[in-house]
Amino acid sequence: MYIGNISLQLSDTMRILTIVSVILLPLTLITGIYGMNGLDLTKLNEMPQGFIIVILTMVLIIILLLFFFKRKQWLFIKEEKEEQLK
């Protein structure tokens, strides 16, 4: 039982780390592309709202991914299990 409990805790930890890495991956890609010197992003930089558009896009991606994980019930599993046990 002890090894099974440790395995369950490890599984929960890996699930949380996977969710964090999946959320950070597209944000890193966007910042990497936006920060490249070789691309012609002068049009985006000349627009006063260009930076805000990039930041809002990144926030939208975070919200969509969190909604997806919540819908698939990969988030807040412990609280739901505790409510079911009561």
Side-chain angles (χ1 to χ4, degrees):
M1 288 215 27
Y2 176 74
I3 293 174
N5 191 17
I6 296 295
S7 176
L8 184 63
Q9 290 176 354
L10 180 63
S11 175
D12 284 342
T13 303
M14 292 302 294
R15 179 180 46 84
I16 296 299
L17 289 174
T18 302
I19 289 171
V20 169
S21 65
V22 167
I23 289 173
L24 290 178
L25 180 69
L27 304 180
T28 305
L29 178 68
I30 291 171
T31 55
I33 291 173
Y34 188 67
M36 281 186 187
N37 291 332
L39 295 176
D40 184 24
L41 295 174
T42 55
K43 293 176 184 159
L44 186 59
N45 289 332
E46 289 173 1
M47 294 174 22
Q49 67 272 22
F51 180 73
I52 295 172
I53 291 171
V54 172
I55 296 297
L56 289 178
T57 303
M58 294 169 86
V59 169
L60 180 67
I61 289 171
I62 292 172
I63 291 170
L64 289 174
L65 284 173
L66 287 175
F67 176 73
F68 173 76
F69 290 134
K70 176 70 174 166
R71 186 175 171 128
K72 291 288 184 179
Q73 296 179 348
W74 292 352
L75 288 175
F76 310 116
I77 291 177
K78 282 187 177 181
E79 290 141 8
E80 292 174 2
K81 284 182 182 178
E82 289 174 3
E83 289 175 7
Q84 289 176 356
L85 291 175
K86 290 180 181 180

